[in-house]
Amino acid sequence: MGRVAIVTGGTRGIGEAISLALRDRGCTVVANYGGNDEKARIFTEATGIAAIKWDVGDHQACLDGCAAVADQFGPVDIVINNAGITRDGVLAKMSFDDWNEVMRINLGGCFNMAKATFGGMRNRGWGRIVNIGSVNGQAGQYGQVNYAAAKSGIHGFTKALAQEGAKFGVTVNAIAPGYVDTDMVAAVPAPVLEKIVAKIPVGRLGHAYEIARAVAFLCSENASFMTGSTLSVNGGQHMY
Ligand code: NAD
């Protein structure tokens, strides 16, 4: 493809698989990350993909980070808003901080990254934004009012921004993954996870590369007539 792509949270889990999938399809990939410098260093050493740290919930940091990527690698053609966190708990136990942090990073990150890159994509007449939502944003989940609201917001954000990009060659789509075997899901208590897997028709968790392949498709020319859509990649857990 020869395009410049930024994958937020791109050094581990689903993001790592997306970074690799886009690199394997010829993109120059920059993986943004939020925390673990050592893990990011090992990722770059193993893959040759540059990793740059900034907080996607910080508006100015996104503007500066994307400008730095453009200076070093060229105009940004593709943004994958993958960075996300959970701060689970039932409403009675959820603090305002738990609410706010999930909204700031999961949903605010999409806004911040789009503000930094969408205008350039539109001016150049080509762009791809893929936002990683969740089955729990489509169906809701006990103990996740913050996460479900943020992910549901991502699906609305996608449909609205898609309308602004459509005439300018910029597509904006979302993927709603089901449960995937990453660190995020490893944090779910085993008995809860067993019950969840029992409800997945294919009978297993997803693999990160199965999400990454769907992202790569949405970034390709094959998906040029798709915008504003949400692809469910969830093993049949929620048929939406
Ligand atoms: P993960 O916890 O393994 O990775 C999350 C990534 O986001 C990390 O690389 C982390 O550095 C980055 N990140 C977190 N906060 C950040 C910040 N403020 N700024 C920049 N980067 C930040 O998670 P994962 O399972 O790979 O999930 C990736 C995405 O997929 C998330 O948006 C998640 O909500 C979504 N998702 C995951 C599952 C699943 O089952 N794993 C299901 C549905 C949706």
Coordinates of all heavy atoms in Angstrom, one line a residue, residues 8-16 32-36 54-57 81-86 101 104-106 132-136 147 151 154 176-185, ligand 1:
T8 N -2.7 3.4 17.3 CA -2.6 3.7 18.7 C -2.6 2.5 19.6 O -3.3 1.5 19.2 CB -3.7 4.7 19.2 OG1 -5.0 4.1 19.2 CG2 -3.7 6.0 18.3
G9 N -1.9 2.5 20.7 CA -1.8 1.2 21.5 C -1.3 0.1 20.6 O -1.7 -1.0 20.7
G10 N -0.3 0.4 19.7 CA 0.1 -0.5 18.6 C 1.2 -1.4 19.0 O 1.7 -2.1 18.1
T11 N 1.6 -1.5 20.2 CA 2.8 -2.3 20.5 C 2.5 -3.6 21.2 O 3.3 -4.4 21.5 CB 3.8 -1.6 21.4 OG1 3.1 -1.2 22.7 CG2 4.3 -0.3 20.8
R12 N 1.2 -3.8 21.6 CA 0.8 -5.1 22.2 C -0.6 -5.5 21.9 O -1.4 -4.6 21.4 CB 1.1 -5.0 23.7 CG 0.1 -4.2 24.5 CD 0.2 -4.6 26.0 NE -1.0 -4.2 26.7 CZ -1.1 -3.5 27.7 NH1 0.0 -2.9 28.2 NH2 -2.2 -3.2 28.3
G13 N -1.0 -6.7 22.2 CA -2.3 -7.2 22.0 C -2.9 -7.0 20.6 O -2.2 -7.2 19.6
I14 N -4.1 -6.6 20.5 CA -4.7 -6.4 19.2 C -4.0 -5.3 18.4 O -3.7 -5.5 17.2 CB -6.2 -6.0 19.4 CG1 -7.0 -7.1 20.0 CG2 -6.8 -5.5 18.0 CD1 -8.4 -6.7 20.4
G15 N -3.5 -4.3 19.0 CA -2.8 -3.2 18.3 C -1.5 -3.7 17.7 O -1.1 -3.4 16.6
E16 N -0.8 -4.6 18.4 CA 0.5 -5.2 17.8 C 0.1 -6.0 16.6 O 0.8 -5.8 15.5 CB 1.1 -6.1 18.9 CG 2.4 -6.8 18.3 CD 3.1 -7.6 19.4 OE1 2.6 -7.9 20.4 OE2 4.3 -7.9 19.1
N32 N 1.9 3.9 18.2 CA 1.9 4.7 19.4 C 1.7 3.8 20.6 O 1.1 2.7 20.5 CB 0.7 5.7 19.3 CG 0.1 6.1 20.6 OD1 -0.8 5.4 21.1 ND2 0.6 7.1 21.3
Y33 N 2.1 4.2 21.8 CA 1.8 3.5 23.0 C 1.7 4.4 24.2 O 2.2 5.6 24.1 CB 2.9 2.4 23.3 CG 4.3 2.9 23.6 CD1 4.7 2.9 25.0 CD2 5.1 3.4 22.7 CE1 5.9 3.4 25.3 CE2 6.4 3.9 23.0 CZ 6.8 3.9 24.3 OH 8.0 4.3 24.7
G34 N 1.1 3.9 25.3 CA 0.8 4.8 26.4 C 1.7 4.6 27.6 O 1.9 5.5 28.4
G35 N 2.3 3.4 27.8 CA 2.9 3.2 29.1 C 4.3 2.5 29.1 O 5.3 3.1 29.5
N36 N 4.4 1.3 28.7 CA 5.5 0.4 29.0 C 6.6 0.6 28.0 O 6.6 0.0 26.9 CB 5.0 -1.0 29.0 CG 6.0 -2.0 29.5 OD1 7.2 -1.8 29.4 ND2 5.6 -3.1 30.1
W54 N 2.8 8.6 23.5 CA 2.1 9.7 23.9 C 0.7 9.2 24.4 O 0.3 8.1 24.1 CB 1.9 10.8 22.9 CG 1.0 10.6 21.7 CD1 -0.3 10.7 21.7 CD2 1.4 10.2 20.4 NE1 -0.8 10.5 20.5 CE2 0.2 10.1 19.6 CE3 2.6 9.9 19.8 CZ2 0.2 9.7 18.3 CZ3 2.6 9.5 18.4 CH2 1.4 9.5 17.7
D55 N 0.1 10.1 25.2 CA -1.2 9.7 25.8 C -2.3 10.1 24.8 O -2.5 11.3 24.6 CB -1.3 10.4 27.2 CG -2.7 10.3 27.8 OD1 -3.6 9.6 27.3 OD2 -2.9 10.9 28.9
V56 N -3.1 9.2 24.3 CA -4.1 9.6 23.3 C -5.2 10.4 23.9 O -6.0 11.0 23.2 CB -4.7 8.3 22.5 CG1 -3.6 7.6 21.7 CG2 -5.4 7.4 23.5
G57 N -5.3 10.3 25.2 CA -6.4 11.1 25.9 C -6.0 12.6 26.0 O -6.8 13.4 26.5
N81 N -7.5 3.8 15.6 CA -7.8 4.2 17.0 C -8.1 2.9 17.8 O -9.2 2.5 18.0 CB -8.9 5.2 17.1 CG -8.5 6.5 16.6 OD1 -7.5 7.1 17.1 ND2 -9.3 7.1 15.8
N82 N -7.0 2.3 18.3 CA -7.1 1.0 19.0 C -6.8 1.1 20.5 O -7.3 0.3 21.3 CB -6.0 0.1 18.4 CG -5.8 -1.1 19.3 OD1 -6.6 -2.1 19.3 ND2 -4.7 -1.1 20.0
A83 N -6.1 2.2 20.9 CA -5.8 2.3 22.4 C -7.1 2.3 23.2 O -8.0 3.0 22.9 CB -5.0 3.6 22.6
G84 N -7.0 1.5 24.3 CA -8.2 1.5 25.1 C -7.9 0.9 26.5 O -6.9 0.2 26.6
I85 N -8.7 1.3 27.5 CA -8.5 0.8 28.8 C -9.8 0.3 29.4 O -10.9 0.7 28.9 CB -7.9 1.8 29.8 CG1 -8.8 3.0 29.9 CG2 -6.5 2.2 29.3 CD1 -8.5 3.9 31.1
T86 N -9.8 -0.5 30.4 CA -11.0 -0.8 31.2 C -10.8 -0.3 32.7 O -9.6 -0.4 33.2 CB -11.3 -2.3 31.2 OG1 -10.1 -3.0 31.6 CG2 -11.8 -2.8 29.9
E101 N -11.8 8.6 33.1 CA -10.5 8.1 32.5 C -10.8 7.2 31.2 O -10.2 7.3 30.2 CB -9.7 7.3 33.5 CG -8.3 7.1 33.2 CD -7.4 8.4 32.9 OE1 -8.0 9.5 33.0 OE2 -6.2 8.2 32.6
R104 N -12.1 9.6 28.6 CA -11.0 10.4 28.1 C -10.1 9.7 27.1 O -9.7 10.2 26.0 CB -10.2 10.9 29.3 CG -9.1 11.9 29.0 CD -8.3 12.2 30.3 NE -7.3 11.2 30.6 CZ -6.1 11.0 30.1 NH1 -5.7 11.9 29.2 NH2 -5.3 10.0 30.4
I105 N -9.8 8.4 27.5 CA -8.8 7.7 26.6 C -9.6 7.0 25.5 O -9.2 7.1 24.3 CB -8.0 6.6 27.5 CG1 -7.1 7.4 28.4 CG2 -7.3 5.7 26.6 CD1 -6.4 6.5 29.5
N106 N -10.6 6.2 25.8 CA -11.2 5.4 24.7 C -12.0 6.2 23.7 O -11.9 5.9 22.5 CB -12.2 4.4 25.4 CG -11.5 3.3 26.3 OD1 -10.4 3.5 26.7 ND2 -12.2 2.3 26.6
I132 N -11.6 1.1 16.9 CA -11.8 -0.2 17.6 C -12.9 0.0 18.7 O -12.6 0.6 19.7 CB -10.5 -0.9 18.1 CG1 -9.5 -1.0 17.0 CG2 -10.9 -2.2 18.7 CD1 -9.9 -1.8 15.8
G133 N -14.1 -0.5 18.4 CA -15.2 -0.4 19.4 C -15.2 -1.7 20.2 O -14.1 -2.2 20.5
S134 N -16.3 -2.3 20.4 CA -16.4 -3.5 21.2 C -17.8 -4.1 21.1 O -18.8 -3.3 21.1 CB -16.1 -3.3 22.7 OG -16.4 -4.4 23.4
V135 N -17.9 -5.4 21.2 CA -19.2 -6.0 21.4 C -20.0 -5.5 22.6 O -21.2 -5.4 22.6 CB -19.1 -7.6 21.5 CG1 -18.3 -8.0 22.7 CG2 -20.4 -8.3 21.4
N136 N -19.2 -5.1 23.6 CA -19.8 -4.5 24.8 C -20.4 -3.1 24.6 O -21.2 -2.7 25.4 CB -18.9 -4.6 26.0 CG -18.6 -6.1 26.4 OD1 -19.2 -7.0 25.9 ND2 -17.6 -6.3 27.2
Y147 N -17.1 1.8 30.1 CA -16.5 1.2 28.8 C -17.6 1.0 27.7 O -17.4 1.4 26.6 CB -15.9 -0.2 29.2 CG -15.2 -0.9 28.1 CD1 -13.9 -0.6 27.8 CD2 -15.8 -1.9 27.4 CE1 -13.2 -1.3 26.8 CE2 -15.1 -2.6 26.4 CZ -13.8 -2.3 26.1 OH -13.1 -3.0 25.1
K151 N -17.4 2.9 24.2 CA -17.4 2.1 22.9 C -18.6 2.4 22.1 O -18.5 2.4 20.8 CB -17.2 0.6 23.2 CG -15.9 0.2 23.9 CD -14.7 0.6 22.9 CE -13.4 0.0 23.4 NZ -12.3 0.4 22.5
I154 N -18.0 5.5 20.3 CA -17.1 5.3 19.2 C -17.9 4.9 17.9 O -17.6 5.4 16.8 CB -16.1 4.2 19.5 CG1 -15.0 4.8 20.4 CG2 -15.4 3.6 18.2 CD1 -13.9 3.8 20.9
A176 N -16.1 -4.0 15.8 CA -16.5 -4.3 17.2 C -16.0 -5.8 17.5 O -16.7 -6.7 17.1 CB -18.0 -4.3 17.3
P177 N -14.8 -5.9 18.1 CA -14.3 -7.2 18.4 C -15.2 -7.8 19.5 O -15.7 -7.1 20.4 CB -12.9 -7.0 18.9 CG -12.6 -5.6 18.6 CD -13.9 -4.8 18.5
G178 N -15.3 -9.1 19.5 CA -15.7 -9.9 20.7 C -14.6 -10.1 21.6 O -13.6 -9.3 21.6
Y179 N -14.6 -11.2 22.4 CA -13.5 -11.4 23.4 C -12.3 -12.0 22.7 O -12.4 -13.0 22.0 CB -14.1 -12.3 24.5 CG -14.9 -11.5 25.5 CD1 -16.2 -11.2 25.1 CD2 -14.4 -11.0 26.7 CE1 -17.0 -10.4 26.0 CE2 -15.2 -10.3 27.5 CZ -16.5 -10.0 27.2 OH -17.3 -9.2 28.1
V180 N -11.2 -11.3 22.9 CA -9.9 -11.7 22.2 C -8.9 -12.0 23.3 O -8.8 -11.3 24.3 CB -9.5 -10.6 21.3 CG1 -8.2 -10.9 20.6 CG2 -10.6 -10.2 20.3
D181 N -8.0 -13.0 23.0 CA -7.1 -13.5 24.0 C -5.9 -12.6 24.2 O -4.8 -12.9 23.9 CB -6.6 -14.9 23.7 CG -6.0 -15.0 22.3 OD1 -5.9 -14.0 21.6 OD2 -5.6 -16.2 22.0
T182 N -6.1 -11.4 24.8 CA -5.1 -10.4 25.1 C -5.0 -10.2 26.6 O -5.8 -10.7 27.4 CB -5.4 -9.1 24.4 OG1 -6.5 -8.5 25.0 CG2 -5.6 -9.2 22.9
D183 N -4.0 -9.3 27.0 CA -3.9 -8.9 28.4 C -5.2 -8.4 29.0 O -5.5 -8.6 30.2 CB -2.8 -7.8 28.6 CG -1.4 -8.4 28.2 OD1 -1.3 -9.6 28.1 OD2 -0.5 -7.5 28.2
M184 N -5.9 -7.6 28.2 CA -7.2 -7.0 28.7 C -8.1 -8.1 29.1 O -8.8 -8.0 30.2 CB -7.8 -6.2 27.6 CG -9.0 -5.4 28.0 SD -9.7 -4.3 26.7 CE -8.8 -2.8 26.9
V185 N -8.2 -9.2 28.4 CA -9.2 -10.3 28.7 C -8.6 -11.1 29.8 O -9.3 -11.7 30.6 CB -9.6 -11.0 27.5 CG1 -10.2 -12.4 27.8 CG2 -10.6 -10.2 26.7
Ligands
NAD1 P1 -4.4 -4.2 25.8 O1 -4.7 -3.8 27.1 O2 -3.6 -5.5 25.5 O3 -3.7 -3.0 24.9 C1 -4.1 -1.7 25.0 C2 -3.1 -0.8 24.3 O4 -3.6 0.5 24.5 C3 -1.8 -0.9 25.0 O5 -0.8 -0.9 23.9 C4 -1.6 0.4 25.7 O6 -0.3 0.9 25.8 C5 -2.5 1.3 24.9 N1 -3.0 2.4 25.7 C6 -3.7 2.4 26.9 N2 -3.9 3.7 27.3 C7 -3.3 4.5 26.4 C8 -3.1 5.9 26.3 N3 -3.7 6.7 27.2 N4 -2.4 6.4 25.3 C9 -1.9 5.6 24.3 N5 -2.0 4.2 24.4 C10 -2.7 3.7 25.4 O7 -5.8 -4.3 25.0 P2 -6.3 -5.1 23.8 O8 -7.1 -6.3 24.3 O9 -5.2 -5.4 22.8 O10 -7.4 -4.1 23.2 C11 -7.1 -3.2 22.1 C12 -8.4 -2.5 21.8 O11 -9.4 -3.5 21.5 C13 -9.0 -1.7 23.0 O12 -9.6 -0.5 22.5 C14 -10.0 -2.6 23.6 O13 -11.0 -1.8 24.3 C15 -10.6 -3.2 22.3 N6 -11.2 -4.5 22.5 C16 -10.6 -5.6 23.1 C17 -11.3 -6.7 23.3 C18 -10.6 -7.9 23.9 O14 -11.3 -8.9 24.1 N7 -9.3 -8.0 24.1 C19 -12.6 -6.9 22.9 C20 -13.2 -5.8 22.4 C21 -12.5 -4.6 22.2

